[in-house]
Amino acid sequence: MTGQKRDGGRRRTRALYTEEYKRERRRQGRGWVVLTAGVVIGSTHVITHLGQLRFLPSTGWQDLAVGYPMAMILALIGFMMIATRTG
């Protein structure tokens, strides 16, 4: 035995990705989903104001559900989830 420990013929290998890395990648993936939702909401809002799309009974409800503020909030949350590093 040339300075190496024997463990019954089995070699111990380290995991390719750590749990922290996997957690960060999942968070970044969720960030991209939230960012995409914000972009879709903003785009839908632009089209709605151009008068080419109506899917809720009143424009007031459309502004609440598909407004620029909601799009911006979702986009910012998505950017923050993507950009922040943990650990």
Side-chain angles (χ1 to χ4, degrees):
M1 295 198 345
T2 61
Q4 296 177 350
K5 279 189 168 179
R6 291 197 153 243
D7 58 352
R10 286 186 268 169
R11 286 194 137 174
R12 298 182 78 191
T13 58
R14 296 182 65 180
L16 187 58
Y17 299 112
T18 63
E19 284 301 316
E20 293 84 16
Y21 177 78
K22 290 177 186 178
R23 222 174 305 137
E24 185 170 337
R25 295 299 293 175
R26 284 191 299 263
R27 184 185 42 77
Q28 286 180 345
R30 288 188 300 265
W32 280 108
V33 169
V34 172
L35 175 63
T36 303
V39 170
V40 167
I41 288 174
S43 302
T44 304
H45 195 70
V46 168
I47 294 169
T48 300
H49 275 287
L50 292 175
Q52 298 177 3
L53 178 66
R54 296 250 186 241
F55 59 89
L56 292 176
S58 72
T59 56
W61 279 108
Q62 282 185 197
D63 275 344
L64 284 175
V66 193
Y68 288 121
M70 180 58 76
M72 185 166 37
I73 288 170
L74 286 175
L76 287 175
I77 289 172
F79 275 128
M80 288 188 325
M81 289 173 74
I82 293 166
T84 57
R85 298 250 183 236
T86 56

